[in-house]
């Protein structure tokens, strides 16, 4: 299925709700859970979820949702997650990815890392405009969501050293620069960090730092006081 047909599969409002729910969980989702979230019958949810798999927007597998194994554990259930492949449509056809990869290759070979990060920080500051640095993790989450990072809060806002729990941190399920970052990780991840530093501000109550995890953005956002600031 080509990209236009795949994206067209999301035109159905129920199918789109199911897709957005699965994507928002960042883990495998079963049919019952998806149906309940969308407010529809399980059989209808199964139909639409399988259509999303056919469209190449989700991938499916099976596992026991009870967490048990052996006799009496029940049959494995079908589960769904978002595919890693990208879908893009441009009319007329454009190829910005190739241009980005060529520019990244040239910048890396010429040792232009410092110049790129400086430009990225200026762009972030320009996007923020004349407003003050980001006021907190809730505001940062809104800003990052608007730019496609798909942030989620890990930990409790009220937790930290006093409670012995991990301090809250924003992790992002999506990297808007994923395709280029895969080929040029140090260069593009450094650019991404600088961009977010400019966007969020470096002298406010939150800060961005590197903390890469497989399948996620390489940058996280936390309260500045987390590390003794």
């Amino acid at each position: 299925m080509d990209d236009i047909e795949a994206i067209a599969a999301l035109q159905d409002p129920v199918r789109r709700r199911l897709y957005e729910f699965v994507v928002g969980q960042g883990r495998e989702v079963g049919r019952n859970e998806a149906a309940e979230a969308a407010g529809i019958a399980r059989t209808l949810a199964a139909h639409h979820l399988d259509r999303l798999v056919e469209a190449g927007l989700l991938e499916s597998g099976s596992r026991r949702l009870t967490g048990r194994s052996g006799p009496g554990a029940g049959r494995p259930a079908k589960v769904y997650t978002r595919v890693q492949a990208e879908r893009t449509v441009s009319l007329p056809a454009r190829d910005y990815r190739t241009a980005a990869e060529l520019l990244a290759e040239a910048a890396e070979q010429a040792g232009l890392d410092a110049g790129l990060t400086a430009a990225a920080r200026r762009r972030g500051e320009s996007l923020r405009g004349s407003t003050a640095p980001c006021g907190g993790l809730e505001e940062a989450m809104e800003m990052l969501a608007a730019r496609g990072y798909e942030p989620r809060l890990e930990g409790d806002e009220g937790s930290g050293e006093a409670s012995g729990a991990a301090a809250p941190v924003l992790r992002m399920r999506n990297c808007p620069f994923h395709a280029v970052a895969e080929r040029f990780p140090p260069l593009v991840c450094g650019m991404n960090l600088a961009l977010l530093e400019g966007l969020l501000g470096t002298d406010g109550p939150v800060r961005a730092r590197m903390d890469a995890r497989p399948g996620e953005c390489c940058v996280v956002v936390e309260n500045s006081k987390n590390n003794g600031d």
Side-chain angles (χ1 to χ4, degrees), residues 33-214:
E33 183 183 3
E36 183 177 352
I40 59 176
R42 182 184 183 278
T43 52
L44 182 59
H47 166 73
H48 284 300
L49 288 166
D50 287 339
R51 285 294 302 276
L52 290 168
V53 172
E54 293 172 8
L57 298 172
L58 297 180
E59 60 184 9
S60 63
S62 61
R63 68 177 176 85
R64 289 187 172 90
L65 299 178
T66 61
R68 296 179 298 169
S69 59
R75 296 176 59 187
K78 200 165 187 179
V79 291
Y80 302 85
T81 55
R82 177 170 59 182
V83 300
Q84 293 299 311
E86 297 180 11
R87 296 286 189 174
T88 59
V89 174
S90 178
L91 298 173
R94 298 288 187 262
D95 190 4
Y96 300 114
R97 176 174 172 175
T98 296
E101 290 178 347
L102 289 171
L103 290 168
E105 182 178 356
E108 187 174 76
Q109 291 179 352
L112 300 178
D113 304 55
L116 178 60
T117 55
R121 191 171 290 107
R122 290 194 299 271
R123 175 57 64 91
E125 292 169 350
S126 176
L127 292 170
R128 177 160 53 92
S130 59
T131 60
C134 182
L137 291 181
E138 185 175 342
E139 183 180 342
M141 182 174 287
E142 293 179 1
M143 296 171 69
L144 294 167
R147 302 204 65 80
Y149 283 91
E150 299 179 8
R152 75 182 190 281
L153 182 64
E154 194 172 273
D156 187 348
E157 282 275 25
S159 66
E161 292 182 2
S163 64
V169 62
L170 286 182
R171 294 192 177 273
M172 294 166 269
R173 296 190 184 96
N174 183 50
C175 172
F177 316 109
H178 174 73
V180 186
E182 277 194 315
R183 288 196 57 190
F184 309 96
L187 182 76
V188 178
C189 290
M191 177 199 75
N192 189 24
L193 174 61
L195 178 70
L196 294 182
E197 286 176 339
L199 181 66
L200 302 173
T202 56
D203 54 353
V206 301
R207 69 176 173 189
R209 65 174 175 83
M210 288 286 194
D211 188 11
R213 280 187 181 179

